Amino acid sequence: MSTTAYAPASLSSKGTAQCQASTNPPALPQLVPPNFDAQLAYVLGLCCNAANDQYTKYVTNTPLDPSNRFGPKSWQIQSVAPTPWDPDFSQIVAQGYKPNPTHTNLSVYETDINGNSVKIPAGFIARLEPTDTDKSSIIVVSFHGTQNSYEVNTVDNYIVPAVFGNLGSVHGGFYNQYTTGSTGQGDLSHRADGSLAQQISQYFDDNEDPTLSVKVTGHSLGGALATLCALDIALNLESKFDAISMYSLASPRVADTLVVIPAAAETFVSNYQEYVPDSYRIVNQLDSIPQLPYPVTPPIPPLNYCAHVLGDLDAILFGIVKPSLLDLNVISFQDKNDQNTDSPPACQGAHSCPAVYVPFLKRLAAQFA
């Protein structure tokens, strides 16, 4: 494991000098899962910051209306800057990687305030070349978290289940975000042009290298997309890389099924754990987003059963999924983040990537260096 010193840096690459880590930092775990790489987790957290900043740098939203947070004029896509939408890698390369990493921008199609379909950045794929001889070259796939009301209403809150190949049932909003392209909905067999599924497949077709490992990550909605993406790569592109890992930050539940077919959620979780066992969920216990969708969704009687792919004690309690040794692959902490009340919205609350999750991972990396 590398002993590279982690350089002091701003918590995120865009305008977050006002975004302060907790003055009463959360306790660090004394142990982490056997194969968990704390230094890698910190680098991947910085990749999540870079993906979030990529969106805010190139996409302008309408202001958030506090009285109607997800109303027709609130927090909508207003304009998108011309491509290329290149991320800022300055924080990442400070951690033992070469400047100007080779990368490919990822995109999705969403609807703007005028009802037009627009193409926006969704994250990136980057090949990181180390300057530290203890490290290896890696491919990182990183997705941004929820950034506008379209994603809240059409992606996050759309819990009608979808079939993930023949591997079980998943949250329909996340699946649609991964498989919808410029001409509409596709799937994992017929990848719609311009969909994330098509872009991921195309990248590995063009950059096949069985000597490299792949690290998939994302914060919030990005964590859910990272889960789907990691399984897609492991299942369908297995000859094009050496190994795959998934590190999600603040991910909501991804497995989702109607109560009339309860085994479909368990089927997805068991298949996911079989194909991507080197996976980890990083969770602030005071963050509400990883609690969603609830394992048993209202009304009563419930319509859906939902579960995390790892360590979902509530879903286990309700009998939605079975216990597994991989349930240990959850790294949890508690951070209220009540010190950023006058900072940008991205800094506020227990869900913040730059103010909560990345500072925790930075301290964790130092402890397990």
Side-chain angles (χ1 to χ4, degrees):
M1 190 171 288
S2 169
T3 57
T4 299
Y6 282 78
S10 61
L11 296 177
S12 182
S13 58
K14 179 177 181 292
T16 50
Q18 306 168 66
C19 194
Q20 300 299 320
S22 176
T23 54
N24 183 24
L28 293 174
Q30 298 305 303
L31 296 172
V32 292
N35 295 317
F36 178 78
D37 186 333
Q39 284 75 35
L40 172 65
Y42 176 50
V43 171
L44 295 180
L46 291 173
C47 289
C48 292
N49 269 348
N52 289 335
D53 291 346
Q54 181 189 30
Y55 178 97
T56 56
K57 181 177 181 180
Y58 295 107
V59 182
T60 300
N61 291 342
T62 60
L64 182 67
D65 179 357
S67 65
N68 188 11
R69 294 176 61 86
F70 304 115
K73 302 293 183 182
S74 176
W75 209 34
Q76 297 278 348
I77 298 171
Q78 188 171 49
S79 63
V80 184
T83 56
W85 302 314
D86 293 330
D88 181 351
F89 290 103
S90 60
Q91 301 301 310
I92 299 162
V93 300
Q95 310 309 323
Y97 291 95
K98 294 179 181 178
N100 303 316
T102 303
H103 72 278
T104 297
N105 293 324
L106 298 172
S107 59
V108 288
Y109 289 86
E110 296 185 359
T111 302
D112 69 9
I113 191 170
N114 298 313
N116 299 319
S117 177
V118 292
K119 186 168 145 179
I120 65 165
F124 56 84
I125 308 176
R127 176 168 171 156
L128 301 184
E129 305 287 353
T131 56
D132 185 334
T133 56
D134 289 337
K135 287 183 167 69
S136 300
S137 299
I138 58 174
I139 294 174
V140 174
V141 185
S142 182
F143 299 99
H144 70 61
T146 300
Q147 297 289 344
N148 56 59
S149 59
Y150 173 91
E151 292 176 352
V152 172
N153 295 326
T154 308
V155 181
D156 297 342
N157 290 340
Y158 187 79
I159 62 170
V160 177
V163 176
F164 192 88
N166 62 350
L167 300 185
S169 182
V170 298
H171 184 290
F174 305 148
Y175 181 82
N176 292 347
Q177 188 77 343
Y178 188 70
T179 57
T180 299
S182 57
T183 57
Q185 181 74 47
D187 55 34
L188 300 182
S189 299
H190 303 91
R191 296 172 188 257
D193 186 48
S195 66
L196 289 172
Q198 183 269 329
Q199 294 169 70
I200 296 295
S201 178
Q202 188 67 56
Y203 177 88
F204 284 97
D205 284 344
D206 294 342
N207 298 277
E208 181 175 348
D209 190 338
T211 70
L212 292 182
S213 63
V214 179
K215 316 297 181 183
V216 189
T217 193
H219 170 259
S220 190
L221 165 61
L225 293 175
T227 303
L228 298 181
C229 177
L231 181 55
D232 180 24
I233 293 172
L235 177 68
N236 296 309
L237 305 169
E238 68 270 18
S239 66
K240 301 180 184 297
F241 62 93
D242 178 43
I244 189 165
S245 306
M246 195 282 295
Y247 287 60
S248 68
L249 283 60
S251 175
R253 289 181 169 92
V254 176
D256 183 8
T257 185
L258 296 173
V259 295
V260 294
I261 44 173
E266 164 63 24
T267 299
F268 179 78
V269 170
S270 61
N271 278 311
Y272 180 89
Q273 292 185 3
E274 177 182 352
Y275 285 102
V276 199
D278 193 30
S279 292
Y280 307 90
R281 285 199 308 116
I282 299 157
V283 182
N284 179 10
Q285 293 178 332
L286 303 181
D287 181 0
S288 63
I289 299 304
Q291 302 174 35
L292 301 174
Y294 297 116
V296 178
T297 57
I300 298 176
L303 298 176
N304 291 41
Y305 291 148
C306 302
H308 287 296
V309 293
L310 303 164
D312 194 334
L313 299 182
D314 289 332
I316 292 171
L317 179 65
F318 285 115
I320 300 168
V321 296
K322 299 180 180 68
S324 162
L325 289 176
L326 292 184
D327 292 335
L328 298 175
N329 288 6
V330 179
I331 295 84
S332 62
F333 63 100
Q334 295 188 15
D335 189 345
K336 293 196 304 183
N337 183 24
D338 54 7
Q339 70 278 354
N340 282 299
T341 55
D342 296 326
S343 299
C347 299
Q348 298 179 20
H351 187 57
S352 171
C353 189
V356 172
Y357 282 86
V358 172
F360 168 77
L361 291 175
K362 183 177 182 178
R363 294 175 57 238
L364 194 68
Q367 173 160 311
F368 289 96

